[in-house]
Amino acid sequence: MDRGQAATAPWSSMSAAGAVVALALAVSTLALPAAAAASGFSCRPGARPVVFNFGDSNSDTGGMAAAMGWHLTPPEGRAFFRRPTGRFCDGRLTIDFLCESLNISYLSPYLKALGSNYSNGANFAIAGAATLPRDVRFALHIQVQQFLYFKDRSLELIDQGLSGPIDEQGFQNALYMIDIGQNDVNALLSSLPYEQVLAKLPPILAEIQDAVQTLYSNGSRNFWIHGTGALGCLPQKLAIPRKNDSDLDQNGCLETYNRAAVAFNAALSSLCDQLSTQMKDATIVYTDLFPIKYDLVANHTKYGFDKPLMTCCGYGGPPYNYDFNKGCQSPDVMACHDGSKFVSWDGVHLTEAANAVVAAGILSSQYSKPKLKFDQFCSV
């Protein structure tokens, strides 16, 4: 099966479910006409790229560790940083590779008090974050409010003749990335049947819409929004006891979880179309991460992976090496010898090797709409 075939696996026939969600949102599912599509990102000559990120543990570069005072221990970070950095990974996350493509420093967490550098932006992503409830600690709405405080304080310092990390033009020309929703969908699937999960997706999408509109009303113009990945291929989900294997697809992933992810992404894609139509002076790129991440499993040998559904840093042995009572930080958990052979680091998050593949997929623009290059928003 090649990459295109992976994107059209049996559960993709459920795209009609995504249309149901889109209709519930009253969002047009028509593709954006070429004449109406945004012309592309822009940045003043000579300016450095600036990125602000909002999300969950998939792009948390140390925010939750700083917020909770967690002292993560090895093997976290062993593949690249040689020490734990607050990332839930053996090395770099997808967002780290994207920053490398822009030749900028990795994004410092907004809540990291010491050693942070905000000259190229800030990371508001926090592990465990979701869109709902909107006013709980570190929900997407709270992350956006944190950004607005960061922006006001930065401009206030500049107005006082002091050094602020980013000026007004920097905020205007920055790229605003949103990668959230996985925790919302997973929570729904843990307690509701599939059809009821679909009915609960519109409020999640409404929070993402509100975040984009709030940022837009405060001068943001460049948005890069990620869909969720193949939730049914996570060892954490596969390790949940089941009566039989009837829900497993030909690659060993849970079809129900993946159908829900596809439905969520279809609705999110339609929402981005709607926002692009409304905000004609903004550029909104939607990138579907599902086919990229599903391909890590469906065609794992192509990328050099031996264990696509088995956790590297886990407990319990085959087939999934995942124990709900023993996480990667548990004292009696041993990590695999070579993480580059594994897709999953800890049962929930990808290894650095898998993140590198995801980043390459994003940078290819093959999975994006419109198909703009990631570095187009601000060239030095």
Side-chain angles (χ1 to χ4, degrees):
M1 181 185 299
D2 62 19
R3 183 177 301 228
Q5 289 174 309
T8 56
W11 35 256
S12 69
S13 63
M14 296 302 297
S15 60
V20 171
V21 179
L23 286 173
L25 283 166
V27 172
S28 170
T29 58
L30 296 176
L32 205 60
S39 59
F41 301 127
S42 62
C43 191
R44 68 185 188 273
R48 66 180 183 274
V50 175
V51 176
F52 293 103
N53 182 67
F54 307 86
D56 52 32
S57 58
N58 289 309
S59 57
D60 181 356
T61 53
M64 180 57 84
M68 302 303 294
W70 289 349
H71 296 279
L72 300 184
T73 60
E76 304 284 0
R78 69 178 187 180
F80 180 77
F81 300 101
R82 311 302 182 195
R83 60 181 177 81
T85 62
R87 293 164 172 81
F88 297 93
C89 181
D90 58 336
R92 288 164 289 185
L93 306 179
T94 297
I95 192 169
D96 294 318
F97 288 106
L98 296 180
C99 286
E100 287 182 2
S101 75
L102 298 174
N103 196 29
I104 62 174
S105 59
Y106 303 130
L107 295 184
S108 293
Y110 169 70
L111 295 175
K112 185 179 178 182
L114 301 176
S116 292
N117 175 10
Y118 300 118
S119 62
N120 289 120
N123 192 1
F124 298 88
I126 291 284
T131 67
L132 293 170
R134 74 187 321 245
D135 290 318
V136 301
R137 186 171 56 191
F138 309 134
L140 177 60
H141 171 69
I142 298 301
Q143 293 181 30
V144 172
Q145 295 305 306
Q146 289 175 325
F147 163 76
L148 295 178
Y149 180 89
F150 176 92
K151 179 180 179 181
D152 288 345
R153 183 57 178 153
S154 182
L155 298 181
E156 179 183 336
L157 289 173
I158 293 174
D159 287 343
Q160 294 173 354
L162 302 174
S163 177
I166 299 168
D167 61 17
E168 184 69 54
Q169 282 191 306
F171 283 107
Q172 181 177 340
N173 292 324
L175 182 64
Y176 294 81
M177 299 183 63
I178 298 178
D179 186 344
I180 202 166
Q182 175 172 313
N183 292 326
D184 294 272
V185 177
N186 277 333
L188 292 174
L189 287 165
S190 68
S191 59
L192 296 174
Y194 177 73
E195 293 302 327
Q196 292 184 34
V197 170
L198 291 187
K200 296 285 187 179
L201 295 185
I204 300 172
L205 275 293
E207 287 300 313
I208 297 176
Q209 177 177 356
D210 179 75
V212 174
Q213 290 175 333
T214 299
L215 292 168
Y216 177 84
S217 66
N218 282 273
S220 306
R221 291 297 181 267
N222 304 318
F223 299 91
W224 197 283
I225 300 175
H226 287 159
T228 195
L231 306 181
C233 300
L234 299 177
Q236 181 199 55
K237 305 308 174 190
L238 290 164
I240 298 173
R242 53 183 181 268
K243 294 180 180 180
N244 54 59
D245 291 342
S246 61
D247 195 39
L248 297 182
D249 67 11
Q250 72 271 27
N251 292 303
C253 299
L254 293 164
E255 289 188 331
T256 300
Y257 274 84
N258 280 345
R259 284 161 54 199
V262 170
F264 173 79
N265 286 357
L268 181 59
S269 176
S270 295
L271 173 62
C272 290
D273 286 349
Q274 176 195 17
L275 292 171
S276 293
T277 301
Q278 294 173 349
M279 306 171 180
K280 296 187 181 300
D281 61 335
T283 300
I284 301 174
V285 176
Y286 166 76
T287 300
D288 190 355
L289 297 191
F290 187 96
I292 304 175
K293 292 188 175 182
Y294 187 80
D295 202 50
L296 292 171
V297 174
N299 293 300
H300 57 275
T301 57
K302 178 173 66 175
Y303 304 110
F305 298 124
D306 293 335
K307 310 290 185 181
L309 299 177
M310 192 169 171
T311 297
C312 171
C313 188
Y315 187 87
Y320 307 121
N321 195 37
Y322 185 87
D323 188 316
F324 290 93
N325 298 312
K326 296 180 183 293
C328 187
Q329 289 289 290
S330 297
D332 53 350
V333 169
M334 297 289 291
C336 64
H337 175 68
D338 185 2
S340 68
K341 299 298 183 180
F342 287 70
V343 172
S344 178
W345 169 241
D346 56 12
V348 179
H349 310 102
L350 300 180
T351 59
E352 177 183 87
N355 281 321
V357 175
V358 174
I362 295 170
L363 293 171
S364 75
S365 76
Q366 178 181 350
Y367 304 93
S368 296
K369 180 182 65 173
K371 295 185 181 299
L372 295 178
K373 292 294 186 181
F374 183 76
D375 64 354
Q376 187 173 334
F377 80 102
C378 187
S379 299
V380 176

